[in-house]
Amino acid sequence: MKFRSVQLIITLFILLSILLTLAVAQEQPANKSQVTVSWDEFKKLLNFDGENINIPLQTFNKLLAQTGVKTVPPYTIKDGNVILSKAEFQKLVDQMKAPADPAANPPFEYLITKSEYNGKMNENATDFTGTFKVHVLKEEGFLNIPILRQNMAINELTVDNKPALVVSEGGYHKVILKGKGEYTVKANFSVKSSLDRGPHKIDLYIQQTPITLLNLEIPIKDADLEIPQAQQIASRIRGNSTLVSAILAPGTFVSVEWRKKAPEAEKIPAKLYAEVYHLISIEDDAFKINSEIVYNILHSEIDGVRFTIPENMSVLNVSGEGIGEWQEIAQNNQRVIQVPFTYGKKGSVRIYVSSETPLTENGMANAFIGFKALDCVRETGFIAVELNTSAEVILAESEGLEKIAVQKLPQVLFNKSVKPLLFGFKYLKHPFNAVFDVKKHEKIAVPMAVINSSNAVTLFTEDGKIIHRIIYNVRNSAKQFMEIALPENADVWSVFVGNQPVESSLNSQGKLLIPLIRSRSTNDQLDTFPVEIIYALAGDRFDSFGKRSAVLPEVDLIVSQMIWSVYLPNDYTYNYFSSTLEKEESLRGVGNLFGDARRDYDSSDMDDVLSELSEDEEPSVQVDKLKRAYSRNESKSSFRNVPMPEEQIARQMQAEVGFSNRMEGLQKESVAGTATGILPIQIQIPTSGQVYRFARTIIKSDDVLSIQVYFSSSWTNDVLRWLIYILFVLVLWLLRKQLVKLINLLKSVWMLIYEWYNQHSDSITKIAQSKMTLVVIFGLLMITWTFNYSFLTVILFFLFWVSVVYHILNYRRTKSSEKIEVKLPEENELEVKSKPIKKTKDNK
C-alpha cells in the first residue's frame, strides 16, 4: 500500500511538472526558465492529504485532452476547481499520451519526385509505360494519389511490381497507397496515334514532377521530331526505327510531332528582299535618321549583309538580334557598311541603323538620298519627316519618290516618331532624293520655372511693424536662382526652399537671390516645391485714424495665382480698402464703413485646429475644421472675377492659422542653432485680430502688388455714427414744413386713387373675375421671362399667383352658395333654394 502511495505521489509530481512546463511553453516560448515548488506547497496545491484530488478546471481540461478519453470521469466543481477521487485521477494518469510535436508533421502527405514515360509507336496507337517514384510521408491512413488523366486507357497498374488498387475520380486515375515509404508505381496505357494518316502528332497529359523523362520508339527510319516542351533531345537510328530520348521541363502536357526526313535539296544561292523605313528628325544642326531594314532571306542562310551610304552621312550605330561588329569600308568609290551575323540567318531579319546628316550653312538645299541595300533582288521603302526644332521646313524638290499622306505611312514609323509627322514618301527603287529647305527663325525664350500659386500673409502690429510671410509654390526645370526685389529697409528673417533652410545672397542690383532645386517628375509632370521667405519692415504706429499701405516684392517668375491675407489689429474700423489685387466680395464699395465686413480670428484654438488637419482630407473638410479660428463673418472668401478652387482657399487658411506657430518655430530654431540665421527681435504674435483677403491671377514680374487701407479707431466711428444720427434728425426738424406739405400731397394723391377705384369698381371686378385676365398675365410673364426683364417678371409672377388664388377662392365660394338649402317648418314643406347673390356696391 505504501508502495502504491509513493508511486502515486511521484506520478502526480511528474504530471504537474509536465503541465506547468506546457503552460510556460505556451505563454513564453522563448523562455527556458523553470518553476520550482517545495513538497509541502505541492501537496497543498493538489490537496493531496485528503481523499480527493483538487486541481484547477483549466488543468483538468488539459489532462483530458492529453489522455484522449471519451468518457469523462465523475467529478465535482468547488470554487472554480475540479475535485476527483484518487482512483479516477490514477486512471487518467495511466491513459496519458506524450504530446505530439507539431514540427514533426510533414509538409506534404506525398511527393512524386520522378516520372519516366517509355513509349513504342504502332500503326494506330502508341503504347506507354509510365514509371513514377512516389514518396508517402503520411504515417497512417490511405491516400489516393493521382497518376494519369482519366481519358487515358490503362492496361495495367502495379506498385512495386504488385497489382494495385486504382480508382477513377476527379478526372484522374488514382492509385491507393497506405503507409509511409517509397513506392514505384508503373502504369501501362495507350494513346491514339497514326503512322499513315495525319496529323503526325501525340498530345500527352503527364504528371508534373521535378524530373520528367520521355523515351519514344517511332517505326520510321531517320524521322524528324519536334518536342516544344523538351529542354534536351537525343535521337538515334536502330534498324528501321528512330529512338528518341528527351528531358522535359516540369509541366502537365507534352506534344510530340514527327515527319519523315526530306532528302536534302541542292543548295541554291540566297535571295534577298529588303524593305526600309526611314524616320528623318530635323534638328537645329542636322538630320537625325532612324532607319529600320527588314530583310526577307530565301533559300539559304547568309552570314551578313551590306549597304552603301552617301558621302555626307555618318552612321552612328547598327544593331539587331545576332548582329556582330559592323565596319565601314571603301569599295568601288563607295562607302559600304558591312554587317556580319553571329550565326547563319534565313527568313525575316531586322537591322536598326542610326545615322545623321549635317545641315548646310544657310539651311537650304539639304538633300536626302538614303542608303542602298546591296545584293538584293528588290528594295522598297517609306520615308517620314518630323520636326524637332522651331525652324520652318519646306520641301524644295523630290525625285524618284511618291508623296503620300502621313496617315497612310506604316505604323512602325509612327511608333518611332515623337513629334507629328510632316511629310510622307514611298519609293520603289533607287536612286531617289528629297531636298528640304530649313529656315531658322529667332527663338523665343520660354520660362524655365513658374510659380504655380502663392500664399502671402502680412501682419500689421499696432506699434507699426509689418511682417510678411510669402510662400511660392514653384515648378522648376532648370532655373538656378529666383530673384526677389525687396525694399531697401527690409530685414530678411528666414528663407526656406523645399522646407529646408538655405543661404541667400544679393546681386549687383540689390535683389535677393534664392537658390532653387529641380522639381521632381511624377507621371511626366514636374511637381511643385515651396519657397518661403519671411521679412519685416518698420512703419508708423497706428493713430486714431489714418492710412496704411503694403507692397509685395517683385519676383522674376510668372505667378499663376496669388491670395494675400492681411492681419490688422483690433480696436479699429477699416473703412475702405484699395488694391491692385481684387478685393473679396465683402470689401467692395463702402460695405465696411461701419465694420460690416469684419472677420475676426482667434489663435487660442489654432494648435488644436492644425493638429486635426490631414493631407489626405478633402479641401472642403479642411476648410470646415479651419472655421473654428474665425468669427463675426464667413471664414471663406469669394471673389467676383478670380475663381479660387477650394484647395487654394484651404491652403491660404492654413497659412493664416499657422502664422503664429511658424514664427514661434523659427524662434526655437534660432535658439537651437538649426536655422540659417537668428531672428533679430523677439516677436509676440497677436492672438486675435482681423483678417482680410485679396487675390489675383497671372501676375508678371513688373506688376505692382499693393494694398491701402483707411482706418479709424472704434470710438471715432461711434462718434461719427451718432453725429450722422443727430444730423439726420436736425435735417428733419429744419425741413418739417416741407415734410408736412409732402405728407398732405401724398394724402391727396391717395384720395384721388381711392375715388377712382370707387367709380370703376364694377369694371375692376369684372376684369379680376375674367379668366382671360389670367391668360393675359401668363402670356406677359412668358414674354418678360424670355427677354430677361427681371423686374417686370417678378411683378407679373406676383400678379399671376394673386389672380390664380383669387379665381380658386371665387370658384369655391360660388359652388358653396349654390348648394345652400333652406327648409321651412310648415305643413306644405317648402324648399327654398338659394340663388347666387348678386353683388352690389352695398353688399360688396
Side-chain angles (χ1 to χ4, degrees):
M1 187 66 183
K2 292 183 178 180
F3 176 77
R4 291 185 58 83
S5 300
V6 172
Q7 184 182 10
L8 181 59
I9 293 172
I10 295 174
T11 303
L12 289 174
F13 181 75
I14 295 173
L15 172 63
L16 185 59
S17 300
I18 292 174
L19 294 177
L20 290 174
T21 304
L22 290 175
V24 173
Q26 290 178 355
E27 295 176 1
Q28 298 178 352
N31 189 358
K32 297 183 179 180
S33 61
Q34 298 179 352
V35 177
T36 304
V37 295
S38 63
W39 176 249
D40 294 334
E41 293 294 333
F42 175 70
K43 290 193 296 181
K44 291 179 180 179
L45 180 64
L46 295 182
N47 193 14
F48 186 73
D49 293 335
E51 294 295 332
N52 298 323
I53 302 297
N54 189 350
I55 60 176
L57 178 60
Q58 184 178 6
T59 304
F60 177 67
N61 291 331
K62 291 181 179 179
L63 183 60
L64 293 177
Q66 190 69 25
T67 57
V69 296
K70 297 182 179 178
T71 303
V72 180
Y75 65 91
T76 59
I77 297 178
K78 182 179 179 181
D79 298 331
N81 294 330
V82 175
I83 301 175
L84 281 173
S85 65
K86 290 183 179 180
E88 295 294 341
F89 185 76
Q90 182 65 41
K91 290 180 182 179
L92 290 177
V93 172
D94 293 339
Q95 296 176 8
M96 286 183 61
K97 300 177 182 179
D101 184 8
N105 295 330
F108 306 98
E109 292 184 344
Y110 69 91
L111 291 173
I112 304 177
T113 58
K114 181 180 179 180
S115 61
E116 184 175 355
Y117 302 89
N118 298 306
K120 183 176 181 180
M121 189 177 297
N122 301 317
E123 186 173 353
N124 295 319
T126 302
D127 297 329
F128 281 95
T129 298
T131 304
F132 306 91
K133 289 292 183 181
V134 181
H135 297 264
V136 176
L137 305 180
K138 186 178 180 181
E139 293 285 350
E140 299 178 355
F142 290 93
L143 289 177
N144 294 346
I145 301 176
I147 297 297
L148 295 172
R149 289 287 184 98
Q150 199 168 344
N151 59 355
M152 296 182 181
I154 296 181
N155 301 329
E156 184 182 9
L157 192 143
T158 62
V159 176
D160 294 336
N161 297 322
K162 296 179 182 180
L165 296 177
V166 183
V167 295
S168 297
E169 61 179 9
Y172 284 91
H173 296 300
K174 297 181 179 180
V175 62
I176 301 176
L177 299 178
K178 179 183 179 182
K180 182 179 180 180
E182 180 181 337
Y183 300 89
T184 301
V185 180
K186 290 186 178 181
N188 297 328
F189 60 94
S190 298
V191 177
K192 188 177 180 180
S193 62
S194 177
L195 286 174
D196 299 331
R197 294 180 301 174
H200 297 160
K201 182 179 180 181
I202 296 176
D203 292 330
L204 186 63
Y205 291 93
I206 61 176
Q207 188 67 252
Q208 183 170 345
T209 55
I211 302 174
T212 308
L213 305 178
L214 174 65
N215 301 310
L216 183 61
E217 180 180 349
I218 303 176
I220 299 175
K221 187 176 182 180
D222 200 13
D224 279 341
L225 282 92
E226 292 183 6
I227 306 177
Q229 295 79 13
Q231 300 295 323
Q232 181 179 338
I233 301 177
S235 63
R236 59 189 177 89
I237 300 174
R238 187 178 68 182
N240 291 327
S241 299
T242 301
L243 303 181
V244 180
S245 299
I247 301 176
L248 306 180
T252 59
F253 176 80
V254 61
S255 176
V256 181
E257 296 184 14
W258 71 91
R259 60 182 176 273
K260 294 181 180 180
K261 184 175 290 185
E264 291 187 4
E266 182 181 358
K267 192 173 183 179
I268 60 177
K271 286 187 177 181
L272 277 69
Y273 295 86
E275 191 168 30
V276 186
Y277 304 96
H278 295 292
L279 175 64
I280 304 174
S281 299
I282 301 178
E283 307 285 347
D284 289 329
D285 56 348
F287 286 174
K288 304 288 185 180
I289 306 163
N290 186 355
S291 305
E292 180 177 342
I293 310 174
V294 181
Y295 287 98
N296 188 13
I297 305 170
L298 305 179
H299 304 314
S300 302
E301 295 180 349
I302 61 175
D303 298 328
V305 293
R306 303 181 303 156
F307 57 88
T308 61
I309 60 174
E311 292 296 330
N312 63 340
M313 179 179 288
S314 298
V315 176
L316 306 178
N317 186 37
V318 179
S319 61
E321 183 181 357
I323 300 299
E325 185 176 354
W326 61 276
Q327 59 181 346
E328 179 182 341
I329 63 173
Q331 193 177 64
N332 299 329
N333 296 325
Q334 290 182 323
R335 299 174 62 196
V336 179
I337 302 296
Q338 290 186 336
V339 183
F341 298 154
T342 56
Y343 55 90
K345 289 198 172 190
K346 183 181 177 182
S348 180
V349 178
R350 293 178 181 270
I351 296 177
Y352 305 95
V353 182
S354 297
S355 59
E356 68 176 15
T357 301
L359 297 180
T360 59
E361 292 184 2
N362 57 3
M364 300 297 179
N366 297 279
F368 174 75
I369 61 176
F371 44 74
K372 182 179 181 181
L374 300 178
D375 307 321
C376 288
V377 178
R378 183 177 68 248
E379 177 190 344
T380 60
F382 294 89
I383 302 172
V385 181
E386 69 174 355
L387 184 63
N388 286 338
T389 181
S390 59
E392 179 185 0
V393 180
I394 300 174
L395 177 63
E397 60 177 292
S398 63
E399 182 180 354
L401 295 172
E402 177 187 353
K403 190 173 181 180
I404 60 176
V406 294
Q407 294 82 3
K408 296 183 178 181
L409 289 171
Q411 185 63 36
V412 62
L413 291 173
F414 286 97
N415 296 338
K416 291 177 180 291
S417 63
V418 179
K419 300 293 183 67
L421 299 180
L422 302 180
F423 304 103
F425 304 94
K426 178 181 180 181
Y427 70 90
L428 301 177
K429 61 179 181 179
H430 281 274
F432 66 84
N433 72 326
V435 180
F436 300 96
D437 292 339
V438 181
K439 297 182 179 180
K440 298 181 180 180
H441 303 289
E442 184 180 356
K443 294 184 178 181
I444 300 176
V446 295
M448 294 183 294
V450 67
I451 298 175
N452 193 56
S453 62
S454 178
N455 301 88
V457 178
T458 299
L459 171 67
F460 285 85
T461 61
E462 196 168 358
D463 59 355
K465 296 182 180 64
I466 306 174
I467 304 171
H468 296 276
R469 181 195 179 200
I470 310 174
I471 300 175
Y472 302 100
N473 296 301
V474 181
R475 182 178 286 113
N476 180 36
S477 60
K479 190 173 176 61
Q480 186 176 3
F481 293 97
M482 183 173 74
E483 297 182 4
I484 300 181
L486 295 176
E488 294 182 359
N489 58 343
D491 294 328
V492 179
W493 288 359
S494 69
V495 179
F496 282 74
V497 176
N499 298 320
Q500 297 296 325
V502 297
E503 294 184 358
S504 55
S505 58
L506 295 176
N507 62 7
S508 58
Q509 300 175 349
K511 294 183 179 181
L512 185 68
L513 300 181
I514 299 178
L516 299 178
I517 59 177
R518 192 180 186 278
S519 297
R520 291 180 299 180
S521 179
T522 303
N523 297 329
D524 297 331
Q525 289 186 348
L526 294 179
D527 290 337
T528 61
F529 59 89
V531 175
E532 179 192 54
I533 178 173
I534 299 179
Y535 67 95
L537 297 169
D540 298 331
R541 185 180 181 86
F542 274 69
D543 295 326
S544 299
F545 58 89
K547 178 183 72 172
R548 292 291 179 268
S549 61
V551 180
L552 291 182
E554 298 178 358
V555 295
D556 62 338
L557 299 177
I558 296 177
V559 181
S560 299
Q561 198 172 63
M562 168 177 275
I563 301 183
W564 185 6
S565 299
V566 179
Y567 282 86
L568 294 167
N570 274 329
D571 301 329
Y572 293 91
T573 300
Y574 302 97
N575 306 306
Y576 180 73
F577 291 86
S578 65
S579 176
T580 57
L581 290 78
E582 181 172 350
K583 298 179 288 187
E584 56 183 320
E585 197 68 24
S586 59
L587 295 181
R588 286 184 172 273
V590 292
N592 201 39
L593 182 61
F594 296 111
D596 297 334
R598 175 171 177 158
R599 181 190 294 110
D600 296 340
Y601 74 92
D602 191 347
S603 64
S604 58
D605 294 333
M606 285 183 179
D607 293 338
D608 296 336
V609 171
L610 292 176
S611 63
E612 294 176 4
L613 294 180
S614 174
E615 296 181 357
D616 299 332
E617 293 177 335
E618 294 292 332
S620 59
V621 177
Q622 295 182 351
V623 169
D624 291 338
K625 291 182 178 180
L626 291 167
K627 286 181 179 179
R628 298 211 313 259
Y630 302 89
S631 62
R632 284 288 300 272
N633 212 326
E634 174 64 33
S635 58
K636 294 193 297 184
S637 298
S638 60
F639 300 91
R640 182 177 300 178
N641 301 314
V642 181
M644 281 294 165
E646 194 85 12
E647 181 180 359
Q648 183 76 354
I649 295 293
R651 190 159 50 239
Q652 183 67 17
M653 293 174 67
Q654 289 184 41
E656 295 170 2
V657 174
F659 184 80
S660 60
N661 287 0
R662 181 58 175 160
M663 300 303 300
E664 293 175 2
L666 289 177
Q667 292 172 1
K668 292 178 181 178
E669 290 179 3
S670 300
V671 174
T674 57
T676 55
I678 299 178
L679 294 184
I681 55 177
Q682 185 76 12
I683 296 296
Q684 288 297 115
I685 301 299
T687 57
S688 61
Q690 303 179 43
V691 59
Y692 302 94
R693 301 189 186 108
F694 307 84
R696 185 169 175 176
T697 58
I698 314 299
I699 303 171
K700 297 182 179 180
S701 58
D702 55 351
D703 290 341
V704 178
L705 304 176
S706 64
I707 63 163
Q708 288 184 336
V709 55
Y710 296 86
F711 67 92
S712 58
S713 59
S714 299
W715 67 266
T716 305
N717 270 41
D718 293 339
V719 171
L720 180 62
R721 185 181 295 109
W722 282 107
L723 287 177
I724 292 175
Y725 293 159
I726 294 172
L727 181 62
F728 178 74
V729 173
L730 181 60
V731 169
L732 291 179
W733 173 255
L734 294 176
L735 299 177
R736 61 186 182 280
K737 295 182 179 181
Q738 286 81 355
L739 290 176
V740 171
K741 292 181 180 179
L742 179 61
I743 292 172
N744 293 331
L745 177 62
L746 293 175
K747 288 175 63 177
S748 61
V749 171
W750 169 251
M751 293 304 296
L752 291 174
I753 295 174
Y754 182 73
E755 291 177 1
W756 179 86
Y757 172 77
N758 289 332
Q759 294 175 2
H760 302 85
S761 59
D762 293 338
S763 301
I764 294 174
T765 302
K766 291 180 180 180
I767 293 174
Q769 293 179 348
S770 174
K771 296 181 179 179
M772 195 63 187
T773 303
L774 190 64
V775 176
V776 172
I777 294 176
F778 182 77
L780 293 175
L781 175 63
M782 292 295 100
I783 293 173
T784 55
W785 182 54
T786 303
F787 290 97
N788 294 326
Y789 296 119
S790 302
F791 180 72
L792 292 177
T793 302
V794 172
I795 295 176
L796 289 173
F797 183 78
F798 175 74
L799 293 176
F800 174 75
W801 278 109
V802 169
S803 179
V804 170
V805 172
Y806 175 81
H807 279 80
I808 292 173
L809 295 177
N810 186 56
Y811 175 78
R812 294 181 61 184
R813 185 171 59 252
T814 303
K815 286 294 183 181
S816 61
S817 62
E818 291 178 353
K819 293 180 180 180
I820 296 176
E821 295 182 356
V822 181
K823 294 185 179 182
L824 300 176
E826 296 179 356
E827 294 180 358
N828 297 329
E829 191 174 339
L830 179 64
E831 294 182 357
V832 180
K833 295 184 178 179
S834 65
K835 297 181 180 180
I837 300 173
K838 184 176 181 181
K839 294 181 180 179
T840 63
K841 293 182 182 180
D842 299 333
N843 60 17
K844 188 178 299 181

